[in-house]
Amino acid sequence: MELGLTTFAERHAVGDRPAPSAGERLREVIEEAVATERVGLDVYGVGEHHRADFAASAPAVVLAAIAGRTERIQLTSAVSVLSSDDPVRLYQQFATLDLISNGRAELMAGRGSFTESFPLFGQDLSDYDELFEEKLALLLHIRADEPVTWSGRFRPALHDTVVYPRTDRPLPVWIAVGGSPESVARAGLLGLPLAIAIIGGQPARFRPLVDLYHRALEQGGHEPQPIAVHAHGYLADTDEEAVADFYEPYAAAMSGLGRERGWGPMSRAQFEALRSPEGSLFVGTPDRVAEKIADIRDTLGLDRFMLHPSVGTLPHDKILRSIELLGEKVAPQVR
């Protein structure tokens, strides 16, 4: 099973600690990715957002900088908002990353939980589903090693066009979902790997979606494909230290998001429920987190688990210590 980390390059102010600048946070992300490889983990992902509290609006650029500092680790978007992007340009960016990194690039395509990119790039949210379906079809057509003749609603047509550069292998494309059965079924019918974001509730409740994915793979005539989970979490040497470090930044970030989306503020009781053995937060000692990862792996049949520690912006040295514990303590137990 592969283990790794993801980030959105969050830059929240916490208490009297100001938010880092975008440049400072991006440089920290590169160092955190280097540390992820150094401790023997398998994958590092950078997500796309277009707002003041996230610095990573161009994941391929950040991942290219990481590629220049690493040799082995897989480099993925987590995710790329395909619905508001141009599939031609997105393919070119990640094909270039794949060549630079000697075959380590992946593209996780999602519809977009945050929607700031839609007006930014002139897309209508009323076309939310149609945009993703059409652009995914074009992206998959482009990555096939043949000229593309295509027309659709949302970009100019292509006529017997080969999109360059070409990669030495088919560029891996995952479908990233937040829990939509339609999205899960689409991934299975297309024979694409599935990444599930589990950021609340109980992970065991996602088992019906995994079963749906397997049925869709079979219906589409495809071989089994990898399944990944992305979840929030943080490690420290003791449970008390982990909670003391993580709770305030996490609660502030989630409560701020809740104000935008109509949720209530994050309470300590909710946090503790999420941190329980059945919950979706992976916060605590290496032993505690390893047990939860092994449990979700067995429950959902996972091939990859990606921990997201920077939900609220923690000090850089704290994140580096969490990465160290994940690689040196958790990974050997899980494996």
Side-chain angles (χ1 to χ4, degrees), residues 3-5 27-44 66 69-73 75 316-328:
L3 291 167
L5 291 106
R27 290 188 290 273
E28 288 177 351
V29 162
I30 294 168
E31 295 297 332
E32 289 161 11
V34 171
T36 300
E37 175 169 279
R38 184 171 62 245
V39 300
L41 295 167
D42 304 292
V43 59
Y44 194 85
I66 294 168
R69 298 277 307 277
T70 58
E71 297 180 353
R72 178 192 55 81
I73 198 165
L75 304 170
H316 181 48
D317 62 331
K318 297 281 189 181
I319 295 295
L320 291 176
R321 178 57 177 161
S322 189
I323 292 170
E324 182 181 17
L325 292 173
L326 184 64
E328 296 182 358

mmCIF file of all heavy atoms in Angstrom, residues 3-5 27-44 66 69-73 75 316-328:
data_model
loop_
_atom_site.group_PDB
_atom_site.id
_atom_site.type_symbol
_atom_site.label_atom_id
_atom_site.label_comp_id
_atom_site.label_asym_id
_atom_site.label_seq_id
_atom_site.Cartn_x
_atom_site.Cartn_y
_atom_site.Cartn_z
ATOM 1 N N LEU A 3 1.735 5.203 0.691
ATOM 2 C CA LEU A 3 1.421 6.222 1.685
ATOM 3 C C LEU A 3 2.045 7.542 1.248
ATOM 4 O O LEU A 3 3.153 7.563 0.700
ATOM 5 C CB LEU A 3 1.967 5.837 3.057
ATOM 6 C CG LEU A 3 1.287 4.653 3.756
ATOM 7 C CD1 LEU A 3 2.125 4.184 4.924
ATOM 8 C CD2 LEU A 3 -0.107 5.035 4.213
ATOM 9 N N GLY A 4 1.329 8.630 1.503
ATOM 10 C CA GLY A 4 1.876 9.925 1.130
ATOM 11 C C GLY A 4 1.122 11.059 1.781
ATOM 12 O O GLY A 4 0.338 10.863 2.712
ATOM 13 N N LEU A 5 1.363 12.260 1.281
ATOM 14 C CA LEU A 5 0.774 13.476 1.824
ATOM 15 C C LEU A 5 0.218 14.345 0.715
ATOM 16 O O LEU A 5 0.639 14.243 -0.440
ATOM 17 C CB LEU A 5 1.810 14.281 2.619
ATOM 18 C CG LEU A 5 2.255 13.621 3.926
ATOM 19 C CD1 LEU A 5 3.645 13.054 3.768
ATOM 20 C CD2 LEU A 5 2.185 14.605 5.086
ATOM 21 N N ARG A 27 7.500 27.780 -0.593
ATOM 22 C CA ARG A 27 8.843 27.253 -0.326
ATOM 23 C C ARG A 27 8.802 26.193 0.765
ATOM 24 O O ARG A 27 9.542 25.199 0.702
ATOM 25 C CB ARG A 27 9.785 28.400 0.028
ATOM 26 C CG ARG A 27 10.095 29.311 -1.165
ATOM 27 C CD ARG A 27 11.181 30.323 -0.836
ATOM 28 N NE ARG A 27 10.733 31.331 0.112
ATOM 29 C CZ ARG A 27 10.117 32.467 -0.230
ATOM 30 N NH1 ARG A 27 9.852 32.735 -1.505
ATOM 31 N NH2 ARG A 27 9.763 33.347 0.695
ATOM 32 N N GLU A 28 7.933 26.367 1.755
ATOM 33 C CA GLU A 28 7.764 25.333 2.778
ATOM 34 C C GLU A 28 7.212 24.051 2.170
ATOM 35 O O GLU A 28 7.639 22.947 2.528
ATOM 36 C CB GLU A 28 6.820 25.845 3.874
ATOM 37 C CG GLU A 28 7.413 26.918 4.767
ATOM 38 C CD GLU A 28 6.425 27.451 5.781
ATOM 39 O OE1 GLU A 28 5.211 27.108 5.698
ATOM 40 O OE2 GLU A 28 6.855 28.214 6.662
ATOM 41 N N VAL A 29 6.244 24.189 1.271
ATOM 42 C CA VAL A 29 5.665 23.008 0.620
ATOM 43 C C VAL A 29 6.746 22.203 -0.094
ATOM 44 O O VAL A 29 6.771 20.961 -0.016
ATOM 45 C CB VAL A 29 4.550 23.433 -0.355
ATOM 46 C CG1 VAL A 29 4.223 22.326 -1.349
ATOM 47 C CG2 VAL A 29 3.297 23.833 0.418
ATOM 48 N N ILE A 30 7.641 22.871 -0.796
ATOM 49 C CA ILE A 30 8.714 22.155 -1.490
ATOM 50 C C ILE A 30 9.582 21.394 -0.487
ATOM 51 O O ILE A 30 9.917 20.218 -0.700
ATOM 52 C CB ILE A 30 9.552 23.131 -2.331
ATOM 53 C CG1 ILE A 30 8.697 23.706 -3.466
ATOM 54 C CG2 ILE A 30 10.796 22.444 -2.896
ATOM 55 C CD1 ILE A 30 9.322 24.886 -4.183
ATOM 56 N N GLU A 31 9.930 22.036 0.626
ATOM 57 C CA GLU A 31 10.730 21.358 1.645
ATOM 58 C C GLU A 31 9.968 20.178 2.261
ATOM 59 O O GLU A 31 10.556 19.139 2.563
ATOM 60 C CB GLU A 31 11.138 22.349 2.740
ATOM 61 C CG GLU A 31 12.059 23.462 2.265
ATOM 62 C CD GLU A 31 13.390 22.935 1.754
ATOM 63 O OE1 GLU A 31 13.829 21.858 2.219
ATOM 64 O OE2 GLU A 31 13.983 23.595 0.879
ATOM 65 N N GLU A 32 8.661 20.335 2.443
ATOM 66 C CA GLU A 32 7.853 19.254 3.004
ATOM 67 C C GLU A 32 7.782 18.069 2.047
ATOM 68 O O GLU A 32 7.792 16.903 2.462
ATOM 69 C CB GLU A 32 6.465 19.782 3.363
ATOM 70 C CG GLU A 32 6.493 20.721 4.575
ATOM 71 C CD GLU A 32 5.271 21.610 4.712
ATOM 72 O OE1 GLU A 32 4.269 21.371 3.993
ATOM 73 O OE2 GLU A 32 5.314 22.556 5.532
ATOM 74 N N ALA A 33 7.724 18.345 0.748
ATOM 75 C CA ALA A 33 7.724 17.268 -0.238
ATOM 76 C C ALA A 33 9.062 16.539 -0.254
ATOM 77 O O ALA A 33 9.116 15.305 -0.364
ATOM 78 C CB ALA A 33 7.399 17.819 -1.619
ATOM 79 N N VAL A 34 10.149 17.297 -0.158
ATOM 80 C CA VAL A 34 11.477 16.678 -0.088
ATOM 81 C C VAL A 34 11.575 15.781 1.143
ATOM 82 O O VAL A 34 12.100 14.656 1.077
ATOM 83 C CB VAL A 34 12.572 17.765 -0.075
ATOM 84 C CG1 VAL A 34 13.943 17.161 0.228
ATOM 85 C CG2 VAL A 34 12.607 18.509 -1.405
ATOM 86 N N ALA A 35 11.049 16.248 2.265
ATOM 87 C CA ALA A 35 11.047 15.435 3.480
ATOM 88 C C ALA A 35 10.199 14.178 3.306
ATOM 89 O O ALA A 35 10.542 13.111 3.834
ATOM 90 C CB ALA A 35 10.527 16.264 4.655
ATOM 91 N N THR A 36 9.106 14.291 2.569
ATOM 92 C CA THR A 36 8.238 13.130 2.326
ATOM 93 C C THR A 36 9.005 12.037 1.601
ATOM 94 O O THR A 36 8.883 10.847 1.933
ATOM 95 C CB THR A 36 7.006 13.571 1.512
ATOM 96 O OG1 THR A 36 6.293 14.564 2.251
ATOM 97 C CG2 THR A 36 6.079 12.409 1.246
ATOM 98 N N GLU A 37 9.807 12.400 0.613
ATOM 99 C CA GLU A 37 10.643 11.399 -0.054
ATOM 100 C C GLU A 37 11.733 10.878 0.873
ATOM 101 O O GLU A 37 12.005 9.672 0.909
ATOM 102 C CB GLU A 37 11.264 11.975 -1.320
ATOM 103 C CG GLU A 37 12.238 11.005 -1.987
ATOM 104 C CD GLU A 37 12.682 11.423 -3.360
ATOM 105 O OE1 GLU A 37 11.923 11.180 -4.315
ATOM 106 O OE2 GLU A 37 13.790 11.993 -3.478
ATOM 107 N N ARG A 38 12.357 11.781 1.630
ATOM 108 C CA ARG A 38 13.490 11.387 2.479
ATOM 109 C C ARG A 38 13.105 10.318 3.493
ATOM 110 O O ARG A 38 13.904 9.429 3.793
ATOM 111 C CB ARG A 38 14.059 12.618 3.182
ATOM 112 C CG ARG A 38 15.292 12.336 4.013
ATOM 113 C CD ARG A 38 15.931 13.619 4.510
ATOM 114 N NE ARG A 38 15.038 14.385 5.374
ATOM 115 C CZ ARG A 38 14.561 15.580 5.080
ATOM 116 N NH1 ARG A 38 14.867 16.170 3.938
ATOM 117 N NH2 ARG A 38 13.770 16.212 5.932
ATOM 118 N N VAL A 39 11.866 10.363 4.003
ATOM 119 C CA VAL A 39 11.459 9.379 5.012
ATOM 120 C C VAL A 39 10.848 8.122 4.398
ATOM 121 O O VAL A 39 10.329 7.267 5.112
ATOM 122 C CB VAL A 39 10.488 9.994 6.042
ATOM 123 C CG1 VAL A 39 11.146 11.160 6.767
ATOM 124 C CG2 VAL A 39 9.177 10.424 5.395
ATOM 125 N N GLY A 40 10.901 8.013 3.066
ATOM 126 C CA GLY A 40 10.510 6.765 2.420
ATOM 127 C C GLY A 40 9.060 6.645 2.026
ATOM 128 O O GLY A 40 8.603 5.536 1.710
ATOM 129 N N LEU A 41 8.328 7.759 1.998
ATOM 130 C CA LEU A 41 6.928 7.707 1.569
ATOM 131 C C LEU A 41 6.851 7.707 0.045
ATOM 132 O O LEU A 41 7.850 7.880 -0.650
ATOM 133 C CB LEU A 41 6.150 8.857 2.184
ATOM 134 C CG LEU A 41 6.043 8.764 3.720
ATOM 135 C CD1 LEU A 41 5.542 10.060 4.316
ATOM 136 C CD2 LEU A 41 5.149 7.599 4.139
ATOM 137 N N ASP A 42 5.646 7.507 -0.496
ATOM 138 C CA ASP A 42 5.502 7.148 -1.902
ATOM 139 C C ASP A 42 4.971 8.244 -2.807
ATOM 140 O O ASP A 42 5.221 8.222 -4.012
ATOM 141 C CB ASP A 42 4.546 5.942 -2.027
ATOM 142 C CG ASP A 42 4.998 4.769 -1.202
ATOM 143 O OD1 ASP A 42 6.044 4.184 -1.537
ATOM 144 O OD2 ASP A 42 4.314 4.432 -0.212
ATOM 145 N N VAL A 43 4.203 9.196 -2.270
ATOM 146 C CA VAL A 43 3.486 10.127 -3.148
ATOM 147 C C VAL A 43 3.296 11.449 -2.433
ATOM 148 O O VAL A 43 3.117 11.492 -1.202
ATOM 149 C CB VAL A 43 2.127 9.522 -3.585
ATOM 150 C CG1 VAL A 43 1.249 9.199 -2.403
ATOM 151 C CG2 VAL A 43 1.393 10.438 -4.552
ATOM 152 N N TYR A 44 3.342 12.540 -3.213
ATOM 153 C CA TYR A 44 3.059 13.868 -2.680
ATOM 154 C C TYR A 44 2.123 14.572 -3.646
ATOM 155 O O TYR A 44 2.361 14.589 -4.860
ATOM 156 C CB TYR A 44 4.338 14.690 -2.507
ATOM 157 C CG TYR A 44 4.138 15.925 -1.666
ATOM 158 C CD1 TYR A 44 4.209 15.861 -0.283
ATOM 159 C CD2 TYR A 44 3.854 17.163 -2.252
ATOM 160 C CE1 TYR A 44 4.010 16.993 0.498
ATOM 161 C CE2 TYR A 44 3.648 18.287 -1.475
ATOM 162 C CZ TYR A 44 3.729 18.202 -0.099
ATOM 163 O OH TYR A 44 3.522 19.306 0.682
ATOM 164 N N ILE A 66 9.253 20.649 -7.129
ATOM 165 C CA ILE A 66 9.527 19.484 -6.282
ATOM 166 C C ILE A 66 10.282 18.414 -7.067
ATOM 167 O O ILE A 66 11.205 17.767 -6.542
ATOM 168 C CB ILE A 66 8.201 18.932 -5.724
ATOM 169 C CG1 ILE A 66 7.566 19.939 -4.766
ATOM 170 C CG2 ILE A 66 8.427 17.594 -5.019
ATOM 171 C CD1 ILE A 66 6.132 19.603 -4.383
ATOM 172 N N ARG A 69 13.947 18.589 -6.952
ATOM 173 C CA ARG A 69 14.585 18.330 -5.659
ATOM 174 C C ARG A 69 14.432 16.886 -5.209
ATOM 175 O O ARG A 69 14.881 16.530 -4.112
ATOM 176 C CB ARG A 69 13.965 19.262 -4.603
ATOM 177 C CG ARG A 69 14.156 20.752 -4.843
ATOM 178 C CD ARG A 69 15.505 21.233 -4.341
ATOM 179 N NE ARG A 69 15.713 20.861 -2.948
ATOM 180 C CZ ARG A 69 15.234 21.553 -1.897
ATOM 181 N NH1 ARG A 69 14.526 22.655 -2.109
ATOM 182 N NH2 ARG A 69 15.486 21.160 -0.664
ATOM 183 N N THR A 70 13.756 16.054 -6.001
ATOM 184 C CA THR A 70 13.486 14.671 -5.611
ATOM 185 C C THR A 70 13.845 13.738 -6.757
ATOM 186 O O THR A 70 14.068 14.161 -7.886
ATOM 187 C CB THR A 70 12.009 14.484 -5.235
ATOM 188 O OG1 THR A 70 11.178 14.874 -6.354
ATOM 189 C CG2 THR A 70 11.621 15.312 -4.016
ATOM 190 N N GLU A 71 13.847 12.426 -6.456
ATOM 191 C CA GLU A 71 14.216 11.438 -7.467
ATOM 192 C C GLU A 71 13.220 10.294 -7.605
ATOM 193 O O GLU A 71 13.165 9.660 -8.653
ATOM 194 C CB GLU A 71 15.585 10.829 -7.131
ATOM 195 C CG GLU A 71 16.726 11.826 -7.154
ATOM 196 C CD GLU A 71 18.055 11.188 -6.809
ATOM 197 O OE1 GLU A 71 18.064 9.989 -6.430
ATOM 198 O OE2 GLU A 71 19.090 11.877 -6.924
ATOM 199 N N ARG A 72 12.451 10.003 -6.557
ATOM 200 C CA ARG A 72 11.676 8.772 -6.554
ATOM 201 C C ARG A 72 10.178 8.984 -6.362
ATOM 202 O O ARG A 72 9.362 8.258 -6.938
ATOM 203 C CB ARG A 72 12.208 7.862 -5.423
ATOM 204 C CG ARG A 72 11.479 6.541 -5.249
ATOM 205 C CD ARG A 72 11.875 5.847 -3.954
ATOM 206 N NE ARG A 72 11.680 6.698 -2.787
ATOM 207 C CZ ARG A 72 10.509 6.882 -2.189
ATOM 208 N NH1 ARG A 72 9.414 6.300 -2.661
ATOM 209 N NH2 ARG A 72 10.418 7.653 -1.124
ATOM 210 N N ILE A 73 9.788 9.948 -5.572
ATOM 211 C CA ILE A 73 8.407 10.057 -5.122
ATOM 212 C C ILE A 73 7.471 10.392 -6.280
ATOM 213 O O ILE A 73 7.814 11.145 -7.197
ATOM 214 C CB ILE A 73 8.312 11.114 -4.002
ATOM 215 C CG1 ILE A 73 7.015 10.960 -3.213
ATOM 216 C CG2 ILE A 73 8.488 12.517 -4.547
ATOM 217 C CD1 ILE A 73 7.034 11.719 -1.910
ATOM 218 N N LEU A 75 4.408 12.264 -8.035
ATOM 219 C CA LEU A 75 3.973 13.650 -7.932
ATOM 220 C C LEU A 75 2.604 13.789 -8.584
ATOM 221 O O LEU A 75 2.449 13.546 -9.781
ATOM 222 C CB LEU A 75 4.980 14.568 -8.629
ATOM 223 C CG LEU A 75 6.429 14.442 -8.123
ATOM 224 C CD1 LEU A 75 7.386 15.205 -9.017
ATOM 225 C CD2 LEU A 75 6.543 14.924 -6.680
ATOM 226 N N HIS A 316 5.891 25.195 10.213
ATOM 227 C CA HIS A 316 6.601 24.322 9.276
ATOM 228 C C HIS A 316 7.334 23.192 9.996
ATOM 229 O O HIS A 316 7.307 22.036 9.551
ATOM 230 C CB HIS A 316 7.582 25.190 8.486
ATOM 231 C CG HIS A 316 8.390 24.471 7.467
ATOM 232 N ND1 HIS A 316 7.856 23.598 6.538
ATOM 233 C CD2 HIS A 316 9.737 24.502 7.220
ATOM 234 C CE1 HIS A 316 8.817 23.136 5.755
ATOM 235 N NE2 HIS A 316 9.964 23.661 6.163
ATOM 236 N N ASP A 317 7.978 23.505 11.132
ATOM 237 C CA ASP A 317 8.725 22.461 11.839
ATOM 238 C C ASP A 317 7.794 21.388 12.385
ATOM 239 O O ASP A 317 8.176 20.208 12.455
ATOM 240 C CB ASP A 317 9.584 23.068 12.948
ATOM 241 C CG ASP A 317 8.765 23.776 14.027
ATOM 242 O OD1 ASP A 317 7.671 24.295 13.728
ATOM 243 O OD2 ASP A 317 9.229 23.829 15.184
ATOM 244 N N LYS A 318 6.573 21.756 12.731
ATOM 245 C CA LYS A 318 5.612 20.764 13.217
ATOM 246 C C LYS A 318 5.187 19.816 12.095
ATOM 247 O O LYS A 318 5.055 18.604 12.299
ATOM 248 C CB LYS A 318 4.382 21.469 13.788
ATOM 249 C CG LYS A 318 4.648 22.337 14.995
ATOM 250 C CD LYS A 318 4.773 21.533 16.261
ATOM 251 C CE LYS A 318 4.824 22.410 17.494
ATOM 252 N NZ LYS A 318 4.960 21.612 18.749
ATOM 253 N N ILE A 319 4.980 20.362 10.903
ATOM 254 C CA ILE A 319 4.621 19.526 9.762
ATOM 255 C C ILE A 319 5.771 18.590 9.414
ATOM 256 O O ILE A 319 5.565 17.405 9.120
ATOM 257 C CB ILE A 319 4.232 20.395 8.558
ATOM 258 C CG1 ILE A 319 2.960 21.191 8.853
ATOM 259 C CG2 ILE A 319 4.032 19.520 7.311
ATOM 260 C CD1 ILE A 319 1.724 20.345 9.057
ATOM 261 N N LEU A 320 6.991 19.082 9.447
ATOM 262 C CA LEU A 320 8.142 18.230 9.148
ATOM 263 C C LEU A 320 8.236 17.078 10.148
ATOM 264 O O LEU A 320 8.563 15.947 9.765
ATOM 265 C CB LEU A 320 9.427 19.055 9.156
ATOM 266 C CG LEU A 320 9.585 20.061 8.018
ATOM 267 C CD1 LEU A 320 10.864 20.868 8.204
ATOM 268 C CD2 LEU A 320 9.602 19.363 6.660
ATOM 269 N N ARG A 321 7.966 17.338 11.412
ATOM 270 C CA ARG A 321 7.982 16.266 12.415
ATOM 271 C C ARG A 321 6.863 15.265 12.153
ATOM 272 O O ARG A 321 7.069 14.037 12.277
ATOM 273 C CB ARG A 321 7.849 16.858 13.822
ATOM 274 C CG ARG A 321 7.799 15.825 14.946
ATOM 275 C CD ARG A 321 9.012 14.930 14.954
ATOM 276 N NE ARG A 321 8.978 13.984 16.077
ATOM 277 C CZ ARG A 321 9.699 12.873 16.141
ATOM 278 N NH1 ARG A 321 10.543 12.561 15.142
ATOM 279 N NH2 ARG A 321 9.610 12.064 17.177
ATOM 280 N N SER A 322 5.694 15.738 11.757
ATOM 281 C CA SER A 322 4.582 14.843 11.435
ATOM 282 C C SER A 322 4.937 13.948 10.248
ATOM 283 O O SER A 322 4.645 12.744 10.236
ATOM 284 C CB SER A 322 3.331 15.670 11.132
ATOM 285 O OG SER A 322 2.187 14.860 11.014
ATOM 286 N N ILE A 323 5.584 14.525 9.238
ATOM 287 C CA ILE A 323 6.017 13.741 8.077
ATOM 288 C C ILE A 323 7.024 12.679 8.501
ATOM 289 O O ILE A 323 6.965 11.515 8.066
ATOM 290 C CB ILE A 323 6.617 14.675 7.010
ATOM 291 C CG1 ILE A 323 5.524 15.563 6.411
ATOM 292 C CG2 ILE A 323 7.322 13.876 5.919
ATOM 293 C CD1 ILE A 323 6.063 16.679 5.535
ATOM 294 N N GLU A 324 7.952 13.069 9.360
ATOM 295 C CA GLU A 324 8.963 12.127 9.848
ATOM 296 C C GLU A 324 8.303 10.940 10.552
ATOM 297 O O GLU A 324 8.663 9.778 10.324
ATOM 298 C CB GLU A 324 9.912 12.855 10.795
ATOM 299 C CG GLU A 324 11.034 11.992 11.341
ATOM 300 C CD GLU A 324 11.942 12.767 12.293
ATOM 301 O OE1 GLU A 324 11.528 13.843 12.777
ATOM 302 O OE2 GLU A 324 13.057 12.290 12.549
ATOM 303 N N LEU A 325 7.332 11.215 11.403
ATOM 304 C CA LEU A 325 6.644 10.144 12.119
ATOM 305 C C LEU A 325 5.844 9.261 11.165
ATOM 306 O O LEU A 325 5.792 8.034 11.335
ATOM 307 C CB LEU A 325 5.735 10.738 13.191
ATOM 308 C CG LEU A 325 6.441 11.426 14.366
ATOM 309 C CD1 LEU A 325 5.432 12.127 15.259
ATOM 310 C CD2 LEU A 325 7.248 10.418 15.183
ATOM 311 N N LEU A 326 5.217 9.870 10.164
ATOM 312 C CA LEU A 326 4.449 9.076 9.197
ATOM 313 C C LEU A 326 5.354 8.110 8.444
ATOM 314 O O LEU A 326 5.014 6.947 8.256
ATOM 315 C CB LEU A 326 3.721 9.997 8.226
ATOM 316 C CG LEU A 326 2.801 9.321 7.207
ATOM 317 C CD1 LEU A 326 1.632 8.619 7.881
ATOM 318 C CD2 LEU A 326 2.282 10.336 6.185
ATOM 319 N N GLY A 327 6.524 8.597 8.033
ATOM 320 C CA GLY A 327 7.420 7.748 7.256
ATOM 321 C C GLY A 327 8.167 6.727 8.077
ATOM 322 O O GLY A 327 8.311 5.567 7.673
ATOM 323 N N GLU A 328 8.643 7.139 9.244
ATOM 324 C CA GLU A 328 9.531 6.275 10.021
ATOM 325 C C GLU A 328 8.804 5.383 11.012
ATOM 326 O O GLU A 328 9.330 4.327 11.387
ATOM 327 C CB GLU A 328 10.567 7.142 10.749
ATOM 328 C CG GLU A 328 11.494 7.889 9.778
ATOM 329 C CD GLU A 328 12.546 8.704 10.509
ATOM 330 O OE1 GLU A 328 12.537 8.727 11.758
ATOM 331 O OE2 GLU A 328 13.378 9.327 9.806
#
